[in-house]
């Protein structure tokens, strides 16, 4: 029953034991190699016992074939190696959610040591909003056997030992052992989620950018066409995506564009890329468009090369420059004052009339300083709190209304002002625009008029005031009597 290498020595083993009585094999379990009738060998576990029968020593051997056991051991060792070498996290839990095994990837992912994980509930690896429902999910599954997560891949969140929450991809499988075991496969996708978010943000920025943006592949095929590009060229996104960018060029330029692209891809010599230049484009209706073009090359590891083109409408810039000059001149020549300030009251700009009104020589004396420098102390002390209250409540008291206030000149003299404040939003920026009118002259006229009115009322002589058309404007009491 033994391979020849053992059978040849067996008689000698027995003779030595009978002579010495020293037990090497008897009463111990050991693995041996056994031989079948056909000569094939197989692993076996053998336990040998000695007993006496009719005064004679006898031996009984209990043999257990190990082929299946060793096979399973080999599978277990292989699976352990796979688990340990896997770059993704793998762990197993029992019916109560207790962690039975975990590989190094899980330990690194969650920043725990193996000793800190084994025997702990898997909720240790979950943020509170998920962990507080996990026991209920397990118990419901054991009662209903309805699978909500098992066998599916889904996005979830994990919690590291440091408390940091991160995005992960999880798949759970049930192993039909007795009792059942659940194997979890985990992948840290926090970087992937970050890249996906950046991609979404990039798409949103491109879509909403006020500058027309066009993205091309290395063949000149349009991949992305922003809303601003739609407005500029007159095409919808659907009409141009997957078409060659030559559709946006006049014929004399379009005919050379493919050759330029192929030459650049072969030689890498840049003529347009990385620089800004003025070109001519073509709208959907054939209208020529004066444009400024800036092209940047983006090289992707797995997607090859793309080109991002930023397009500026030169006609719009010229109109904007003209409008800016016009508005600047209107503001500069205005007989009334204008002043702009940030939400905290910092002065941004003031026109010449404002400088003259407050007796300052240049804008540098005001720019960057607070509006309170133009107010008497009794108003300046409360102004920051007024701005803070508005920022908090958005309740308008002074904004969008006209009122009379008191100003403070650089010589510390006060004077009356008619003030109207508007709130202006420019993208993400907000500022206040104030329109100022010096009321000193009007106030003086009111005082003079009041004095004249009083004089007319007490005068013994009749006084009648008429305009150039002979219409009576004032009629004194003495005139009434007369």
């Amino acid at each position: 029953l033994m391979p020849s290498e053992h059978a040849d020595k067996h008689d000698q083993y027995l003779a030595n034991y009978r002579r010495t009585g020293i037990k090497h094999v008897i009463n111990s379990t050991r693995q041996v190699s056994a031989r079948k009738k056909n000569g094939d060998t197989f692993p076996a576990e053998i336990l040998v016992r000695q007993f006496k029968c009719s005064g004679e020593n006898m031996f009984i051997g209990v043999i257990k074939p190990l082929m299946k056991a060793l096979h399973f051991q080999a599978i277990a060792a292989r699976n352990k190696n796979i688990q340990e070498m896997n770059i993704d996290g793998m762990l197993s839990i029992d019916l109560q959610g207790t962690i039975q095994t975990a590989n190094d990837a899980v330990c690194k992912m969650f920043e725990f040591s193996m000793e800190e994980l084994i025997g702990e509930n898997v909720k240790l690896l979950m943020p509170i909003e998920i962990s507080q429902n996990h026991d209920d999910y397990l118990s419901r599954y054991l009662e209903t056997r309805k699978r909500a997560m098992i066998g599916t891949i889904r996005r979830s969140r994990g919690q590291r030992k440091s408390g940091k929450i991160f995005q992960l991809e999880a798949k759970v499988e049930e192993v039909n052992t007795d009792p059942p075991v659940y194997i979890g496969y985990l992948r840290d996708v926090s970087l992937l989620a970050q890249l996906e978010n950046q991609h979404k943000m990039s798409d949103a920025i491109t879509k909403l950018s006020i500058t027309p943006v066009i993205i091309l592949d290395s063949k000149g095929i349009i991949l992305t066409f922003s809303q601003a590009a739609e407005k500029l060229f007159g095409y919808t996104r659907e009409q141009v995506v997957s078409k060659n960018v030559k559709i946006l060029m006049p014929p004399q330029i379009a005919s050379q564009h493919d050759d330029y692209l192929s030459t650049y891809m072969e030689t890498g010599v840049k003529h347009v890329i990385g620089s800004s230049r003025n070109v001519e484009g073509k709208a959907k209706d054939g209208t020529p468009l004066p444009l400024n073009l800036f092209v940047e090359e983006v090289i992707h590891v797995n997607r090859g090369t793309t080109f991002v083109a930023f397009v500026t409408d030169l006609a719009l810039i010229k109109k904007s420059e003209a409008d800016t000059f016009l508005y600047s001149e209107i503001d500069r020549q205005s007989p009334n004052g204008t002043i702009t300030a940030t939400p905290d009251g910092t002065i941004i700009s003031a026109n010449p009339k404002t400088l003259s009104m407050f007796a300052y020589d240049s804008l540098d004396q005001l720019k960057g300083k607070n509006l309170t420098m133009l107010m008497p102390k009794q108003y300046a002390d409360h102004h920051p709190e007024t701005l803070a209250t508005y920022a908090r409540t958005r309740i308008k008291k002074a904004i969008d209304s006209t009122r009379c206030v008191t100003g403070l000149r650089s010589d510390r003299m006060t004077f009356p002002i008619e003030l109207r404040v508007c709130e202006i939003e420019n993208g993400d920026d907000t500022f206040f625009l104030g329109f100022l009118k010096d009321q000193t002259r009007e106030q003086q006229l009111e005082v003079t008029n009041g004095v004249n009115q009083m004089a007319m009322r007490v005068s013994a002589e009749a006084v009648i005031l008429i305009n150039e058309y002979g219409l009576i404007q004032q009629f004194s009491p003495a005139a009434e009597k007369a």
Side-chain angles (χ1 to χ4, degrees):
L1 305 177
M2 305 176 186
S4 58
E5 63 268 22
H6 299 305
D8 293 345
K9 301 175 182 178
H10 192 259
D11 289 344
Q12 186 61 43
Y13 293 154
L14 286 176
N16 289 339
Y17 173 67
R18 289 195 300 271
R19 186 177 70 254
T20 63
I22 298 174
K23 298 177 179 180
H24 293 288
V25 178
I26 295 171
N27 295 334
S28 64
T29 301
R30 63 182 185 135
Q31 288 187 14
V32 297
S33 182
R35 188 182 67 175
K36 297 181 181 181
K37 180 179 179 181
N38 63 6
D40 293 340
T41 59
F42 63 95
E45 185 179 82
I46 185 169
L47 172 64
V48 179
R49 300 284 191 183
Q50 180 181 359
F51 65 97
K52 286 187 178 293
C53 180
S54 301
E56 186 176 351
N57 284 325
M58 304 288 288
F59 301 97
I60 183 169
V62 181
I63 300 176
K64 179 181 177 182
L66 293 180
M67 286 181 294
K68 286 187 178 181
L70 291 179
H71 176 66
F72 288 140
Q73 285 180 12
I75 292 175
R78 184 186 65 190
N79 289 343
K80 184 177 181 182
N81 286 333
I82 292 173
Q83 183 179 5
E84 291 303 323
M85 296 174 65
N86 201 323
I87 60 173
D88 291 330
M90 296 176 63
L91 56 77
S92 62
I93 62 171
D94 61 16
L95 295 175
Q96 288 72 45
T98 304
I99 299 173
Q100 305 294 308
T101 63
N103 68 350
D104 288 340
V106 168
C107 296
K108 292 177 182 177
M109 191 183 305
F110 291 91
E111 301 172 348
F112 285 97
S113 67
M114 193 73 71
E115 292 74 18
E116 291 174 314
L117 289 180
I118 303 302
E120 296 293 333
N121 195 287
V122 73
K123 293 186 293 185
L124 178 68
L125 309 179
M126 304 174 186
I128 183 66
E129 66 271 16
I130 298 176
S131 65
Q132 62 188 3
N133 299 316
H134 193 256
D135 289 342
D136 291 339
Y137 169 75
L138 272 179
S139 59
R140 279 198 308 273
Y141 173 69
L142 293 174
E143 290 174 8
T144 65
R145 308 302 290 181
K146 291 182 179 179
R147 297 186 173 193
M149 295 182 291
I150 293 176
T152 63
I153 298 174
R154 64 193 188 100
R155 285 282 179 92
S156 187
R157 295 184 305 281
Q159 179 170 306
R160 307 191 203 276
K161 183 179 179 179
S162 62
K164 184 177 180 181
I165 309 297
F166 68 100
Q167 294 279 325
L168 60 81
E169 200 171 73
K171 182 180 181 182
V172 180
E173 294 288 357
E174 183 177 13
V175 181
N176 294 320
T177 54
D178 187 19
V181 173
Y182 301 96
I183 307 296
Y185 302 89
L186 309 173
R187 175 176 295 174
D188 184 344
V189 294
S190 53
L191 180 59
L192 177 62
Q194 183 180 351
L195 292 174
E196 288 173 347
N197 288 336
Q198 290 176 350
H199 181 68
K200 290 177 182 177
M201 289 174 63
S202 177
D203 280 351
I205 291 170
T206 299
K207 181 179 179 181
L208 300 175
S209 172
I210 61 174
T211 299
V213 179
I214 305 169
I215 301 178
L216 319 170
D217 68 10
S218 59
K219 304 289 186 182
I221 303 301
I222 298 173
L223 305 175
T224 300
F225 201 69
S226 72
Q227 289 181 352
E230 291 180 326
K231 185 177 179 180
L232 174 61
F233 289 94
Y235 289 99
T236 65
R237 179 182 180 279
E238 291 73 17
Q239 290 173 323
V240 296
V241 168
S242 299
K243 291 186 170 59
N244 197 290
V245 72
K246 293 185 294 185
I247 194 175
L248 307 177
M249 304 174 186
Q252 66 272 22
I253 299 176
S255 61
Q256 303 173 23
H257 194 258
D258 286 344
D259 290 340
Y260 168 75
L261 265 182
S262 60
T263 300
Y264 171 70
M265 295 304 295
E266 290 175 7
T267 65
V269 178
K270 298 180 179 180
H271 295 288
V272 178
I273 293 168
S275 62
S276 174
R277 65 176 185 145
N278 294 339
V279 298
E280 184 179 320
K282 184 184 72 171
K284 181 181 178 181
D285 61 5
T287 303
L289 299 172
L291 306 172
N292 180 268
L293 180 67
F294 180 83
V295 180
E296 195 63 81
E297 181 182 18
V298 181
I299 300 175
H300 306 273
V301 176
N302 298 318
R303 290 173 49 199
T305 298
T306 58
F307 300 99
V308 182
F310 301 90
V311 185
T312 304
D313 185 353
L314 292 178
L316 190 62
I317 286 181
K318 290 174 183 177
K319 182 179 182 303
S320 176
E321 288 174 348
D323 289 346
T324 299
F325 176 76
L326 176 62
Y327 295 141
S328 176
E329 280 299 297
I330 290 173
D331 188 43
R332 191 173 68 85
Q333 301 291 346
S334 173
N336 296 321
T338 59
I339 189 168
T340 58
T342 63
D344 66 356
T346 303
I347 298 171
I348 302 172
S349 67
N351 72 344
K353 182 62 179 178
T354 300
L355 298 177
S356 173
M357 195 182 301
F358 287 91
Y360 286 95
D361 298 324
S362 70
L363 178 59
D364 292 338
Q365 293 174 290
L366 297 181
K367 191 173 182 179
K369 298 181 174 62
N370 200 279
L371 286 169
T372 52
M373 69 182 293
L374 306 178
M375 305 174 190
K377 188 176 188 306
Q378 63 267 32
Y379 303 116
D381 288 345
H382 302 290
H383 195 254
E385 180 58 31
T386 301
L387 288 177
T389 300
Y390 173 67
R392 186 175 65 254
T393 65
R394 307 299 294 174
I395 297 174
K396 296 181 178 181
K397 293 183 179 180
I399 294 173
D400 295 336
S401 63
T402 302
R403 61 197 182 110
C404 289
V405 298
T406 302
L408 179 68
R409 303 186 206 274
S410 63
D411 58 9
R412 315 315 294 167
M413 296 294 291
T414 59
F415 67 104
I417 301 172
E418 184 181 88
L419 173 67
R420 180 177 179 82
V421 179
C422 301
E423 185 176 20
I424 308 296
E425 292 184 359
N426 182 22
D428 294 333
D429 297 326
T430 300
F431 61 91
F432 296 115
L433 172 60
F435 298 91
L436 314 171
K437 184 177 181 182
D438 188 344
Q439 292 291 97
T440 303
R441 177 62 177 163
E442 284 79 358
Q443 195 174 81
Q444 288 172 347
L445 290 174
E446 286 178 4
V447 172
T448 303
N449 187 51
V451 172
N452 291 339
Q453 291 285 346
M454 180 64 69
M456 287 182 63
R457 283 198 297 271
V458 300
S459 174
E461 295 183 358
V463 179
I464 302 171
L465 180 65
I466 64 172
N467 66 12
E468 60 183 315
Y469 302 106
L471 299 177
I472 297 173
Q473 305 296 303
Q474 295 184 19
F475 201 73
S476 73
E480 293 176 2
K481 291 177 183 180

